[in-house]
Amino acid sequence: MTVDDPRHAFMRRAIELSRVKMREGEGGPFGAVVVHEGRIVGEGWNRVLATRDPTAHAEIVAIREACQRLGRFSLEGAQIYATGEPCPMCLGAILWARIEHLYYGNTRLEAAAIGFDDAAFYDEVGRPPDRRALPSERLLADEARVVFAEWAAKPDKVRY
Amino acid sequence: MTVDDPRHAFMRRAIELSRVKMREGEGGPFGAVVVHEGRIVGEGWNRVLATRDPTAHAEIVAIREACQRLGRFSLEGAQIYATGEPCPMCLGAILWARIEHLYYGNTRLEAAAIGFDDAAFYDEVGRPPDRRALPSERLLADEARVVFAEWAAKPDKVRY
């Protein structure tokens, strides 16, 4: 890594977003950028408070913008720079988007130290459904399964 | 649980959405509804293909709609009915939204059997960052941490 490492510029842009948008009251202190072929194609910051949307984390916002700009649901070959270690929701989004490399600044423990539940949610997601704090029950599995079977048999389906 | 159990009606609505929207080509065979005080306040179905958005899973779409309708980022006291066990992204969203109860139909293994990566992603999310298939690196942590510290010291912050 050199002084002119472009990865530093991308992460600094994410950090700038985290600072500016937090000060504007958009949400928590988190920013992210998605980079494809050497340029930023998506920018995001936490907008949970501004949009009253608990899913509006920086990474989700950046991924959605990048996909709209590129016109596709896969970000294969792209990198994401996030100022905080992605929570399970955002890591899931990164995986579904097929992003190839993650760079992050603060860890889940540092997020916990300033009052966020990322670390606790990693623990919760890691448990089987019947051992979580969130009560979870199966219901009408036989009826739901019929639609899965219809998908399996669908000849023209697009995989994602 | 009786024949008239209202939970059956809510799950059947989610299953109906999963079937109809899959047939319309919106995305995979998944539906979800969010229920608050006995009525549906958010409906979702997989829209990954139609919107070219890898985060447009049924649960995310339903949660976002419910929050917009109720005008708040917390769904405390609400239940979610999902036709498939939520993936880590969607479970994370359910936790951030503070939903109180999860009902689901098919499991992550049944989703795997028809070609979806939910189970594999649960494994990936459960690993520490340095042991994942997704390459993950920390970068400029000292600079990112300054913004976390500013949040911690912010007197008027709203917690979420």
Side-chain angles (χ1 to χ4, degrees):
Chain A
M1 196 177 295
T2 70
V3 172
D4 297 305
D5 191 322
R7 299 179 304 174
H8 286 184
F10 294 136
M11 184 59 94
R12 288 199 173 110
R13 174 61 182 159
I15 294 170
E16 180 189 14
L17 289 169
S18 78
R19 177 181 287 114
V20 170
K21 298 302 182 178
M22 172 190 70
R23 288 179 180 169
E24 291 177 0
E26 292 265 312
F30 306 96
V33 300
V34 172
V35 174
H36 184 254
E37 295 181 350
R39 64 191 180 92
I40 292 174
V41 293
E43 293 191 334
W45 55 89
N46 188 292
R47 307 190 68 200
V48 169
L49 303 178
T51 60
R52 296 177 184 172
D53 176 0
T55 75
H57 283 201
E59 299 92 324
I60 301 274
V61 173
I63 287 170
R64 298 182 81 209
E65 183 177 278
C67 288
Q68 295 319 300
R69 184 166 305 176
L70 298 179
R72 52 188 222 217
F73 56 75
S74 168
L75 296 175
E76 211 173 324
Q79 303 85 46
I80 191 164
Y81 294 76
T83 65
E85 181 186 352
C87 75
M89 176 179 72
C90 292
L91 180 58
I94 289 166
L95 295 171
W96 283 115
R98 315 293 172 180
I99 285 175
E100 70 165 25
H101 205 113
L102 162 66
Y103 298 96
Y104 66 98
N106 298 300
T107 67
R108 67 182 80 170
L109 295 178
E110 289 164 328
I114 61 165
F116 290 100
D117 290 328
D118 303 58
F121 289 174
Y122 265 105
D123 292 343
E124 179 81 342
V125 168
R127 294 184 194 111
D130 60 353
R131 294 187 52 200
R132 292 193 188 124
L134 174 72
S136 305
E137 288 176 62
R138 293 192 73 186
L139 201 64
L140 300 183
D142 288 347
E143 294 178 38
R145 193 171 300 122
V146 175
V147 188
F148 268 29
E150 185 172 326
W151 172 268
K154 198 175 194 292
D156 60 340
K157 63 177 167 283
V158 177
R159 295 182 179 279
Y160 58 88
Chain B
M1 194 176 296
T2 70
V3 173
D4 297 306
D5 191 323
R7 299 180 303 174
H8 285 184
F10 294 135
M11 183 60 93
R12 287 198 173 110
R13 174 60 182 159
I15 294 170
E16 180 188 14
L17 288 169
S18 79
R19 178 182 286 111
V20 170
K21 299 301 180 176
M22 172 191 71
R23 287 179 181 170
E24 290 177 1
E26 293 265 313
F30 306 97
V33 300
V34 172
V35 173
H36 184 253
E37 295 182 348
R39 65 192 179 92
I40 292 175
V41 292
E43 292 191 335
W45 54 90
N46 189 290
R47 307 191 68 200
V48 169
L49 303 178
T51 61
R52 296 176 183 172
D53 176 0
T55 75
H57 283 200
E59 298 92 325
I60 300 274
V61 174
I63 287 169
R64 297 182 81 209
E65 183 177 278
C67 288
Q68 297 318 302
R69 184 166 304 176
L70 298 179
R72 53 188 223 217
F73 56 76
S74 168
L75 296 175
E76 212 173 323
Q79 303 85 46
I80 191 165
Y81 294 76
T83 65
E85 181 186 352
C87 76
M89 175 178 73
C90 292
L91 180 57
I94 289 166
L95 295 171
W96 285 115
R98 316 292 172 179
I99 285 175
E100 69 165 25
H101 206 112
L102 162 67
Y103 298 95
Y104 65 98
N106 298 300
T107 67
R108 67 182 79 170
L109 295 178
E110 289 164 327
I114 62 165
F116 291 99
D117 289 329
D118 305 56
F121 289 174
Y122 265 105
D123 292 342
E124 180 80 343
V125 169
R127 294 184 194 109
D130 61 353
R131 295 187 53 199
R132 292 193 188 124
L134 174 71
S136 305
E137 286 176 64
R138 293 191 74 185
L139 202 64
L140 300 183
D142 289 346
E143 294 179 38
R145 194 171 299 122
V146 175
V147 189
F148 269 30
E150 185 172 326
W151 172 268
K154 198 176 195 292
D156 60 341
K157 63 177 167 284
V158 177
R159 294 182 180 280
Y160 59 86

